[in-house]
Amino acid sequence: MISINDLHAGYGALSVLFGVSLHVAEGQTLALIGSNGAGKTTTFSVLTGFVKPRSGNVTLNGSVISGLAPTDIVSMGLAMVPEGRRLFPSLTVEENLMIGAHCDRKGPWDLKRVYSVFPALEPLRKRPSSSLSGGQQQLVAIGRALMSNPNVLLCDELSLGLSPAAVDIVYSAIARLRAEGMTLIIVEQDISRALASSDTFACMRHGGIPLSGPSAGADRAQISSAYFGMD
Amino acid sequence: MEVLINGAFIGALYGLYGLGLALTLGLMRQINLAHGDFIVFSAYLTLQGSLLLGVHPLMVLPVVAVVMFVVGFVLQRLVIERTLGRGEMPPILVTFGLSIILQNVMLELFSADTRNLNPGPLGAASIEIAGLSLGVLPLLTLAVSFAIFWATSAVFGSTKFGRAIRATSDSDQTAQLMGINTSRIFAVAMGLTLAISAIAAGFYGMRGNFDPSTGPERMLFAFEAVILGGVGSIWGTLAGGILLGLSQAAGSLINPSYGPLVGHLVFLVVLLALPGGLMSLRRRQ
Amino acid sequence: MRLPSINRSFIVLAVIVLFLILVPILGSRSTVNLVAEMAAVLAIALMWNLLAGFGGMVFMGFQVFVGIGGYAVFMAANGFQVLPFPFILLSAALCALTALAIMPILSRLQGAQFAIASWVISEVVRLTVFQTSVLGGGGGISLTAMRSVPRELRMYGTYGSAALVLIVALVVCVFLMRSRVGLALRAIRDNATAAEAMGIDLRRTQRLVMMIAAAVAGAGGGAYYMLALQIGPGTAFSMNWMAITLFVVILGGIGTLEGPIVGVVVYFLLRETLSDLGSVYFILLGLMAILVTLLFPKGAWGGLRQLIGQDLLPIRRNPSESKG
Ligand SMILES: Nc1ncnc2c1ncn2[C@@H]1O[C@H](COP(=O)(O)OP(=O)(O)OP(=O)(O)O)[C@@H](O)[C@H]1O
Ligand SMILES: [Mg+2]
């Protein structure tokens, strides 16, 4: 479904990614783990079109999307739940969701479906999004991304700044999306949770991928040494 | 009394000048220092059009508004867009350069003579309401201002385009992540800014004079209306404009040439005492 | 050869001072007057560059200091009927006080709002002067104190004042930018929040730089109008001052010290050759300002610097020096 091939990228004089290659098959979930500054968000920024790759490419359903404008990438079926949620504070909950559908991609997701999957949001629909709790905001951010009917959904640090109970709610929503066959890439600091909510994992370090494999039965010692670079 | 009512009418026009400016300030966090020169330019276009066709200025005003929309759209795409994302200085420098160019182009084309638009019989017509004799032109001006403000706020509040604009003002990056083409939004906004200001310029031209050098003053008034009302509030801009118009009228009651000075002083005092503008008063309650 | 950067600055400053000394000795009358005018304009532009280019404060009403500086010299010299030259100190003091007075309004604002509010302040002063008959009202005043001054003294006195203001402006820029204040300014411009978190007092730094810039620009305005012998609210508080300043700074290269020096030379060359074109000349200036901002944001000095390979008035220490 989505392939990242030998990606090199950075900001100005700073190089961040040095040959990242990943592949996610349809209906699968990839967990991208790695310490702070490893380049996870930068990888997402290349996928969404905000950072242009220096070499390498990204294909979605066989067509190259790297180098396209962010708007075009959304309409080709890639959506992201950004780090820190980034809801629009001057829009209501429902307006935030509707903004997600701005590019009018056809598909199963509409307001009704989002409310049925996240029933907690329906009573809040007229509220300003800034008045919600962190967990509720995260659900809105996920719903907003789903409204564009993506083929692939990227989630950056869903649990950041949330209470443990809220994290559970958010990840049960992710489990539900997986059960429905959505293709996902999730970035998560909590390694156990990341492995439990994914089919495959990739561990990122200094802009490369020293270790990857199936999440079930992954060797935690091996992951730790790849994560902290104790090789 | 009549002077104050007049001040309120003029103030409604300042509000319209400010409305467009507020739109671009909210969206791009920058302003067009040539805003006032575009206002004066559209007044000249209206004048030339009505002279050429021999019709009332109000007849050519819609055409001028459309022309100015295109000018704004193209200007944003060709020039201003290139200054965005490079800090706050480039937009200021480029639009100031534009202001100098426009003033001198108008000087070349239309000479330095003071001009105005001839309202014809509309200028003198008046009706009696509650013992007050009110001019038809000021009333029409006020009605048009309110209509534009109402339409803008309706578009903002409940259309897809309005939603996209508000989202883009909140965060241009996140808006792009939603598939919103923010460059197009910016260009349409700049077009609307100049179109709305062109309509205001037409009405203003039937009541006051203009010459190629009056642009910067108009821009300051527009900006003052926005800040007085409170950045980000549509109706606040109208309130700010009317407050500015009233202040100027009150000033000119003391001494006919004190108008703009008192307006500026009121602006500075409000800026010092109430940085959030008039609308922050309402929010506090 | 790479000299330690401070020595390089001293050499370049010495060359400029030498040039300023040689002009009245070797130059014709009109050259002396032209260089005096250039010196005053350059001092003003350097100060605006200090505020906007280094401090991130885009002060669009900078003419307010030029005007106040000019009026201060005229009023004081005419009042006492004495030589006007020392009164540029009064101009400086008055402008520093003005800066102090308006800071409470401006310090909360940023970007476009700062720019416009400063412009409005300048308008308030212009309109007030216009209405004040003691200051000559709309018609302005002449420097009557200069009438009894002999021609030679008038010329050299004015030239000396302008040259002195320029030297002060240059020295202030070099030393301020190399000092802790300069470091703080750059930190604030790059990231105000982070700078504050590091313990830099944002308001105090900005106020200090604003007062210095206002004082020197005011003295520059005083010197300029001694040359003009006539001052009025329409010209002294005119946006034209802003246009000239911006042009000099942008064309030369904003945010560098060498930029305005190059810019002032280019500006006067253009003015002396093209100003007969009238409004077409201004259209050309505006076009150039836009093109340079969009295409060559580093200005003429940016290009020259590549040829020379080093700063002439460095504001950063060489990496090797800062280690010591
Ligand atoms: N917009 C940017 N401009 C310049 N450098 C950046 C930018 N964003 C990130 N970086 C740098 O790129 C490197 C990788 O950052 P990135 O945000 O991709 O890491 P991450 O793996 O997402 O880390 P975290 O777990 O902290 O979110 C870091 O060194 C960071 O400082
Ligand atoms: Mg990250």
Side-chain angles (χ1 to χ4, degrees):
Chain A
M1 166 105 338
I2 187 164
S3 291
I4 302 171
N5 309 305
D6 195 26
L7 210 59
H8 290 254
Y11 306 91
L14 175 72
S15 292
V16 178
L17 301 183
F18 305 91
V20 171
S21 296
L22 293 167
H23 178 80
V24 190
E26 174 148 23
Q28 297 279 294
T29 298
L30 168 77
L32 194 57
I33 55 180
S35 57
N36 286 337
K40 306 176 299 287
T41 299
T42 304
T43 306
F44 276 8
S45 301
V46 176
L47 295 183
T48 48
F50 286 99
V51 172
K52 305 282 171 241
R54 292 187 183 150
S55 66
N57 68 15
V58 180
T59 61
L60 178 67
N61 285 328
S63 37
V64 176
I65 58 165
S66 44
L68 296 182
T71 16
D72 298 329
I73 293 179
V74 178
S75 46
M76 292 183 70
L78 186 109
M80 177 162 84
V81 182
E83 193 173 339
R85 308 181 280 276
R86 309 254 298 265
L87 296 185
F88 298 108
S90 51
L91 271 55
T92 63
V93 167
E94 186 153 300
E95 285 178 328
N96 265 283
L97 293 174
M98 284 159 83
I99 275 285
H102 187 86
C103 61
D104 290 323
R105 254 176 77 85
K106 298 280 165 289
W109 290 97
D110 56 13
L111 279 177
K112 229 173 91 195
R113 180 125 188 261
V114 171
Y115 288 140
S116 79
V117 176
F118 306 131
L121 295 183
E122 177 133 38
L124 305 170
R125 48 193 284 195
K126 296 278 176 232
R127 292 261 296 270
S129 61
S130 49
S131 70
L132 269 54
S133 73
Q136 291 167 332
Q137 287 193 16
Q138 193 61 277
L139 293 182
V140 177
I142 296 172
R144 184 179 67 176
L146 290 170
M147 287 289 285
S148 71
N149 283 299
N151 297 125
V152 177
L153 181 64
L154 313 179
C155 300
D156 198 355
E157 310 223 10
L158 292 178
S159 53
L160 195 75
L162 300 189
S163 69
V167 175
D168 285 339
I169 294 173
V170 168
Y171 271 92
S172 64
I174 294 297
R176 170 124 196 223
L177 294 178
R178 289 181 67 201
E180 295 195 9
M182 177 64 77
T183 310
L184 290 135
I185 305 180
I186 58 171
V187 164
E188 177 55 59
Q189 294 281 358
D190 176 346
I191 298 178
S192 312
R193 189 168 297 271
L195 293 175
S197 332
S198 60
D199 302 298
T200 56
F201 77 93
C203 186
M204 194 160 206
R205 197 178 141 68
H206 294 329
I209 311 269
L211 183 70
S212 60
S215 306
D219 181 347
R220 294 298 298 265
Q222 230 182 353
I223 292 181
S224 297
S225 69
Y227 195 101
F228 297 110
M230 297 179 296
D231 31 30
Chain B
M1 191 62 205
E2 211 136 296
V3 178
L4 286 183
I5 291 176
N6 249 325
F9 290 137
I10 295 282
L13 291 177
Y14 293 157
L16 277 185
Y17 289 159
L19 180 59
L21 208 59
L23 198 63
T24 43
L25 185 66
L27 269 176
M28 294 174 256
R29 305 278 179 276
Q30 59 122 96
I31 68 163
N32 175 4
L33 290 187
H35 187 67
D37 305 297
F38 280 109
I39 289 172
V40 175
F41 184 70
S42 34
Y44 273 112
L45 279 190
T46 313
L47 176 67
Q48 296 297 321
S50 89
L51 290 180
L52 203 70
L53 303 173
V55 295
H56 194 274
L58 285 181
M59 304 289 285
V60 281
L61 205 47
V63 182
V64 171
V66 173
V67 170
M68 292 311 287
F69 178 90
V70 175
V71 169
F73 192 96
V74 172
L75 175 76
Q76 174 69 26
R77 272 277 136 112
L78 291 187
V79 183
I80 298 182
E81 194 176 292
R82 291 167 206 266
T83 67
L84 297 180
R86 289 170 39 181
E88 54 196 28
M89 191 96 64
I92 293 177
L93 301 183
V94 165
T95 55
F96 188 81
L98 214 56
S99 163
I100 295 174
I101 294 175
L102 263 176
Q103 284 178 42
N104 286 285
V105 165
M106 289 190 284
L107 201 59
E108 280 286 302
L109 292 179
F110 310 123
S111 88
D113 298 344
T114 299
R115 307 300 300 262
N116 58 16
L117 299 172
N118 182 5
L122 193 63
S126 70
I127 45 174
E128 197 103 354
I129 296 175
L132 274 174
S133 157
L134 294 176
V136 171
L137 183 58
L139 285 178
L140 186 65
T141 305
L142 204 62
V144 169
S145 302
F146 267 91
I148 292 178
F149 269 95
W150 176 83
T152 310
S153 113
V155 165
F156 259 57
S158 48
T159 64
K160 185 175 171 182
F161 174 68
R163 212 159 45 224
I165 286 206
R166 279 181 293 145
T168 309
S169 316
D170 279 352
S171 162
D172 144 25
Q173 275 227 343
T174 317
Q176 286 184 49
L177 195 60
M178 300 298 121
I180 296 172
N181 184 342
T182 51
S183 312
R184 229 193 91 230
I185 294 269
F186 287 162
V188 172
M190 189 57 86
L192 285 177
T193 295
L194 293 195
I196 292 171
S197 304
I199 293 173
F203 280 95
Y204 192 98
M206 289 187 280
R207 307 191 49 79
N209 296 328
F210 54 88
D211 69 66
S213 69
T214 45
E217 194 181 48
R218 302 277 201 281
M219 189 273 298
L220 291 183
F221 293 163
F223 187 81
E224 288 174 345
V226 176
I227 301 293
L228 280 173
V231 180
S233 158
I234 293 179
W235 290 104
T237 302
L238 180 59
I242 291 177
L243 174 62
L244 181 65
L246 285 175
S247 314
Q248 292 185 356
S252 64
L253 280 180
I254 307 169
N255 177 327
S257 52
Y258 279 6
L261 179 59
V262 171
H264 289 321
L265 286 174
V266 167
F267 164 73
L268 289 178
V269 168
V270 172
L271 199 59
L272 198 59
L274 209 69
L278 288 177
M279 283 297 130
S280 65
L281 277 182
R282 221 185 67 184
R283 259 173 242 140
R284 218 179 287 164
Q285 281 169 5
Chain C
M1 182 192 62
R2 269 188 171 273
L3 288 169
S5 61
I6 188 73
N7 292 356
R8 229 184 310 152
S9 297
F10 275 127
I11 292 172
V12 175
L13 284 179
V15 169
I16 293 175
V17 172
L18 192 68
F19 170 79
L20 289 173
I21 292 173
L22 286 180
V23 165
I25 300 172
L26 303 175
S28 69
R29 205 182 163 72
S30 60
T31 315
V32 173
N33 282 340
L34 184 67
V35 175
E37 193 187 348
M38 285 173 76
V41 169
L42 177 54
I44 294 164
L46 278 170
M47 289 302 117
W48 188 82
N49 184 42
L50 186 65
L51 277 186
F54 292 117
M57 293 178 270
V58 191
F59 200 104
M60 290 303 284
F62 211 50
Q63 65 272 21
V64 73
F65 301 124
V66 177
I68 291 178
Y71 270 96
V73 167
F74 277 49
M75 292 311 291
N78 284 355
F80 298 113
Q81 283 298 318
V82 291
L83 282 180
F85 312 119
F87 290 116
I88 55 172
L89 288 176
L90 178 70
S91 305
L94 216 55
C95 286
L97 283 179
T98 308
L100 190 63
I102 61 179
M103 252 340 238
I105 301 177
L106 294 176
S107 64
R108 272 189 297 219
L109 307 176
Q110 279 172 351
Q113 312 207 11
F114 183 100
I116 306 269
S118 69
W119 190 337
V120 170
I121 288 170
S122 159
E123 280 294 287
V124 166
V125 176
R126 179 179 71 87
L127 291 167
T128 308
V129 171
F130 203 89
Q131 302 293 342
T132 312
S133 48
V134 207
L135 297 174
I141 38 180
S142 319
L143 189 51
T144 53
M146 212 52 129
R147 287 202 185 125
S148 51
V149 180
R151 252 174 82 126
E152 298 291 294
L153 178 57
R154 189 192 292 181
M155 181 173 89
Y156 292 123
T158 307
Y159 176 85
S161 311
L164 213 60
V165 175
L166 173 59
I167 292 168
V168 169
L170 284 166
V171 170
V172 159
C173 283
V174 169
F175 284 93
L176 195 70
M177 287 318 292
R178 293 176 67 94
S179 74
R180 284 174 47 171
V181 177
L183 202 66
L185 261 193
R186 283 210 299 276
I188 291 169
R189 194 189 53 174
D190 292 344
N191 187 338
T193 332
E196 271 196 298
M198 275 157 44
I200 292 171
D201 188 337
L202 201 144
R203 296 227 172 148
R204 238 190 53 186
T205 311
Q206 291 190 329
R207 191 169 58 217
L208 176 69
V209 175
M210 178 86 112
M211 287 174 71
I212 292 174
V216 179
Y224 180 90
Y225 281 102
M226 277 196 270
L227 198 66
L229 295 174
Q230 173 73 33
I231 194 168
T235 50
F237 296 100
S238 158
M239 252 348 244
N240 274 344
W241 273 111
M242 220 42 255
I244 296 170
T245 306
L246 277 176
F247 192 77
V248 166
V249 175
I250 299 174
L251 206 74
I254 194 162
T256 64
L257 287 187
E258 298 88 343
I261 303 175
V262 177
V264 84
V265 174
V266 177
Y267 169 74
F268 274 87
L269 272 177
L270 287 173
R271 197 190 74 174
E272 295 300 303
T273 50
L274 296 178
S275 63
D276 292 342
L277 297 176
S279 42
V280 173
Y281 162 69
F282 287 103
I283 295 173
L284 287 176
L285 285 192
L287 272 177
M288 279 178 77
I290 293 178
L291 289 177
V292 170
T293 308
L294 290 181
L295 306 176
F296 311 101
K298 292 195 169 135
W301 171 245
L304 281 178
R305 194 194 174 283
Q306 286 215 314
L307 289 180
I308 300 172
Q310 55 185 318
D311 291 325
L312 294 180
L313 290 167
I315 49 165
R316 285 161 213 260
R317 293 148 206 255
N318 288 345
S320 55
E321 282 170 75
S322 50
K323 264 179 212 139

